[in-house]
Amino acid sequence: MLMPNAAAAKGAVPDVTPQEARAIAKEATIYGFPMVDNYRIQYAYFVDRKDPEYKGTWNTLFNTARVYTPDDKAIQTPNSDTPYSSVGIDLRAEPLVFTVPEVEKGRYYSIQFIDMYTFNFAYVGSRATGNEAGKFLLAGPGWTGETPPGIKAVIHCETELAMALYRTQLFNPTDIDNVKKIQAGYKVEPLSAFLGKPAPAAAPKIDFIKPLSGKAEKTSPRFFAVLNFILPFCPTNPAEIDIMARFARIGVGGGKVFDPKALSPDLQKAIKAGMADAWAEFADYKKTELDTGKRSSANGFGTRAFLNGDYMSRMAGAVLGIYGNSKEEALYPVYFIDSDGKSLDGSAKYTIHFGPDGLPPVNAFWSLTLYKLPSSLLSANPLNRYLINSPMLPDLKRDADGGITLHIQHDSPDKDIEANWLPAPEGPFFVVMRLYWPKQEAIDGKWKAPPLERTS
């Protein structure tokens, strides 16, 4: 069995002052949260067969031939527009070949490739590669083989483990069989199987450690032990040599053992205080940057080059909607507050009005989805309606000016406008707009999402 930390001795107690340890723990929490939370989800999806969210073994494609509901609880802010498919990726032994079928024009699909850092390092799909059939080779760090015949492109991943998330557009409930046919055309296989050659030696078995709960990730010093487990699968990027050396001063790093019990009481207290500092900084970032619209989800998702060391934006993306798309693939205007700056709550009523020429500009489609707080999950309601999206436009009631007003509230509005009703829970919530394959005027900010206004 491979235990990335087993070969390392416990090591000496870190030679840092409590003040230094607190500052480093804060930085390491901001840096590592997306990775630790990603591991929590991957463990549920691909390791723990008893978990209700379990999908299947590594390097195996799993199709979910339905949209997400309030019963899906592993991922924060899941979309309910596109049935998902997923693959837990292990590239240690050899590359994988991803095959996609031809998808009819007008139907959006994408494969989002996410590494252990939660960087979106590549895409296949309608925007990135077109709707034609094709085969794509995904290789891990250090692979230098030749591109086989029949491969449309080679995609490189900088971590040994990763994940692929597929999204296949569902037009309406009666369209699900068409989505299933497309999903049946998705295929993932090892390079050796694609070439018809013997498989290489299998990679050592991984002795996966139990992840922390989402709640414990915020307070438990074991957070750093989980991070240390993950880091050996992530070769240190040259841009992060210095920051990893700094983290090592408190025992954080690939091949290291983090044992809070081995620390002095003062250092234990400093580590916990550093974690709390990180979450306080996140709360301030959300309040001053995201809630005010100064920054958006577009800042939190993308390649390593795009994020360029902005670890707080990466943390915020993971906290509020892990596995969000890069801005070229999808934009996510989020409503945490109304136009008066007040938090959203089901005790009030709200509207969003799109002018006749003001609908979200997209090449694919748009949607508006509601999530209850504090869970950031879909909210159960009598209509089983969790979103309103552009395929529903023919059924929505138009305003006198030709525009559309959406009603967001707990109780049903008048029957003649119920089609425009997005049911809210009794308590706090937020709303996410999604623009799939947004047009340039949305990406560059010329088009802006309309305000969410309180009506009572």
Side-chain angles (χ1 to χ4, degrees):
M1 291 186 179
L2 174 66
M3 297 183 65
N5 296 331
K10 183 173 289 188
V13 174
D15 183 21
V16 293
T17 66
Q19 184 177 7
E20 290 171 326
R22 179 172 180 169
I24 296 170
K26 173 186 174 182
E27 293 174 25
T29 300
I30 294 170
Y31 173 92
F33 175 79
M35 305 171 72
V36 172
D37 200 50
N38 174 47
Y39 178 73
R40 175 185 64 83
I41 295 166
Q42 288 191 333
Y43 187 90
Y45 276 15
F46 312 122
V47 178
D48 186 0
R49 295 172 184 269
K50 296 180 181 179
D51 194 292
E53 302 287 349
Y54 181 74
K55 308 300 182 187
T57 56
W58 296 87
N59 295 344
T60 301
L61 176 66
F62 180 86
N63 292 311
T64 303
R66 60 173 178 80
V67 293
Y68 274 38
T69 74
D71 292 330
D72 295 285
K73 302 181 186 299
I75 295 181
Q76 308 93 290
T77 61
N79 94 55
S80 198
D81 297 289
T82 61
Y84 283 103
S85 304
S86 59
V87 183
I89 297 167
D90 183 349
L91 298 169
R92 292 175 300 147
E94 60 176 318
L96 298 177
V97 175
F98 286 71
T99 298
V100 296
E102 181 178 358
V103 177
E104 77 266 30
K105 184 178 180 181
R107 185 187 298 273
Y108 169 86
Y109 90 99
S110 69
I111 309 176
Q112 174 190 9
F113 292 93
I114 310 156
D115 66 19
M116 291 299 283
Y117 294 106
T118 68
F119 293 129
N120 297 332
F121 63 92
Y123 278 92
V124 166
S126 301
R127 177 196 63 84
T129 58
N131 278 26
E132 302 83 13
K135 299 178 184 295
F136 302 83
L137 187 145
L138 177 66
W143 185 80
T144 57
E146 296 183 0
T147 304
I151 296 295
K152 193 170 184 178
V154 175
I155 300 168
H156 293 275
C157 179
E158 68 170 290
T159 59
E160 294 177 336
L161 302 181
M163 181 161 66
L165 280 183
Y166 297 60
R167 295 172 175 88
T168 309
Q169 184 179 3
L170 177 72
F171 294 130
N172 54 61
T174 64
D175 184 45
I176 191 65
D177 285 342
N178 295 319
V179 169
K180 290 179 181 179
K181 290 176 184 177
I182 295 169
Q183 290 180 329
Y186 297 141
K187 183 179 180 182
V188 178
E189 59 188 327
L191 177 59
S192 58
F194 173 75
L195 297 175
K197 295 183 177 181
K205 184 179 179 182
I206 301 172
D207 191 3
F208 291 98
I209 66 173
K210 187 175 180 179
L212 291 167
S213 69
K215 182 178 180 180
E217 286 174 346
K218 296 182 178 182
T219 58
S220 171
R222 187 171 171 267
F223 173 94
F224 300 108
V226 177
L227 181 58
N228 280 4
F229 176 85
I230 298 165
L231 286 169
F233 302 107
C234 309
T236 300
N237 187 280
E240 295 184 339
I241 291 174
D242 290 345
I243 195 172
M244 294 310 301
R246 180 166 167 79
F247 294 165
R249 297 192 64 207
I250 62 168
V252 171
K256 296 184 178 297
V257 173
F258 185 86
D259 182 6
K261 295 179 182 178
L263 304 177
S264 69
D266 284 347
L267 285 179
Q268 290 185 40
K269 184 177 179 181
I271 294 294
K272 290 184 177 181
M275 295 184 71
D277 290 344
W279 285 98
E281 184 167 318
F282 160 75
D284 183 68
Y285 176 89
K286 179 181 178 296
K287 180 179 180 180
T288 61
E289 300 293 323
L290 297 178
D291 291 359
T292 60
K294 292 179 181 178
R295 308 194 89 194
S296 73
S297 64
N299 298 104
F301 305 109
T303 62
R304 174 182 287 280
F306 172 76
L307 283 156
N308 193 28
D310 186 354
Y311 301 119
M312 177 48 71
S313 286
R314 188 178 75 176
M315 178 188 184
V319 174
L320 300 173
I322 195 167
Y323 310 143
N325 279 295
S326 304
K327 64 180 180 180
E328 297 83 7
E329 196 70 36
L331 287 175
Y332 306 94
V334 182
Y335 297 96
F336 292 113
I337 56 178
D338 62 24
S339 57
D340 293 326
K342 297 180 180 178
S343 299
L344 309 184
D345 192 278
S347 60
K349 299 178 181 180
Y350 306 90
T351 60
I352 295 177
H353 175 72
F354 298 98
D357 299 316
L359 290 174
V362 291
N363 292 297
F365 68 99
W366 60 266
S367 66
L368 192 75
T369 309
L370 184 147
Y371 301 95
K372 63 182 179 180
L373 287 169
S375 65
S376 297
L377 298 176
L378 297 168
S379 178
N381 61 80
L383 294 184
N384 293 323
R385 180 185 294 164
Y386 317 117
L387 58 81
I388 291 177
N389 61 19
S390 50
M392 298 165 65
L393 282 172
D395 297 323
L396 300 183
K397 182 177 178 62
R398 294 274 177 171
D399 299 328
D401 67 355
I404 292 174
T405 298
L406 303 181
H407 297 263
I408 303 168
Q409 56 192 65
H410 180 64
D411 297 319
S412 173
D414 294 338
K415 281 291 182 181
D416 63 336
I417 57 171
E418 196 168 77
N420 297 34
W421 174 38
L422 186 56
E426 291 184 325
F429 66 91
F430 67 101
V431 179
V432 177
M433 187 181 295
R434 288 178 168 88
L435 283 68
Y436 287 94
W437 193 357
K439 292 184 177 180
Q440 193 59 41
E441 57 263 39
I443 294 174
D444 62 22
K446 291 181 180 178
W447 177 89
K448 295 187 183 300
L452 187 152
E453 299 182 334
R454 185 183 294 241
T455 60
S456 66

